[in-house]
């Protein structure tokens, strides 16, 4: 339990009935690949924000370092620290997703019939 199996369908992974799944127009699957260093950085950032302080920049990870190299000078932003390394990614490029949404808004106009 708790692990997404890419060999199974979304329905099989979520273990929801078809009746419930049919109520959703879109389902986005977000996969979290375990990365202790990245999770630590994110949790420290969130805790610092909730304490009302400014997140510490000392000892932050260098961009693309995968947690093995530390940068002592001005640290990159949280966005830069959390970016995935240039490796295999199942995600759609943002520009392609934007074009798809624009196309759908322009040409797709679904309408519910009386049975729905």
């Amino acid at each position: 339990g708790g692990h997404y199996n890419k060999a199974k369908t979304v329905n099989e992974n979520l273990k929801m009935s078809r009746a419930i799944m049919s109520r959703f127009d879109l389902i986005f699957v977000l996969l979290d690949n375990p990365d202790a260093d990245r999770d630590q950085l994110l949790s420290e950032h969130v805790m610092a924000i909730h304490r009302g302080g400014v997140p510490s920049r000392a000892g932050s990870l260098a961009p693309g370092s995968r947690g093995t190299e530390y940068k002592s000078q001005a640290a990159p932003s949280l966005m830069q620290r959390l970016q995935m390394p240039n490796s295999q990614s199942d995600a759609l490029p943002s520009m392609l997703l934007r074009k798809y949404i624009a196309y759908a808004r322009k040409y797709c106009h679904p309408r519910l019939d009386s049975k729905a």
Side-chain angles (χ1 to χ4, degrees), residues 31-33 35-46 60-67 75-87:
L31 301 177
D32 179 29
N33 297 322
D35 183 342
D37 294 326
R38 183 176 169 181
D39 293 345
Q40 181 69 32
L41 281 174
L42 183 58
S43 66
E44 287 173 3
H45 176 80
V46 170
S60 62
L61 292 176
S65 68
R66 293 185 166 263
S77 69
L78 178 65
M79 179 68 86
Q80 290 170 330
R81 288 185 282 157
L82 294 178
Q83 282 181 341
M84 292 175 48
N86 296 334
S87 64

Side-chain angles (χ1 to χ4, degrees), residues 61-72:
L61 292 176
S65 68
R66 293 185 166 263
T68 56
E69 302 167 17
Y70 285 85
K71 188 173 182 178
S72 60

Side-chain angles (χ1 to χ4, degrees), residues 9-56:
T9 65
V10 173
N11 196 19
E12 291 170 331
N13 273 294
L14 297 180
K15 297 177 184 159
M16 290 182 168
S17 70
R18 288 188 184 271
I20 292 175
M21 295 290 285
S22 70
R23 294 184 176 146
F24 295 94
D25 293 326
L26 296 172
I27 297 174
F28 292 95
V29 177
L30 301 177
L31 301 177
D32 179 29
N33 297 322
D35 183 342
D37 294 326
R38 183 176 169 181
D39 293 345
Q40 181 69 32
L41 281 174
L42 183 58
S43 66
E44 287 173 3
H45 176 80
V46 170
M47 292 304 294
I49 298 241
H50 284 284
R51 282 192 300 262
V54 177
S56 171

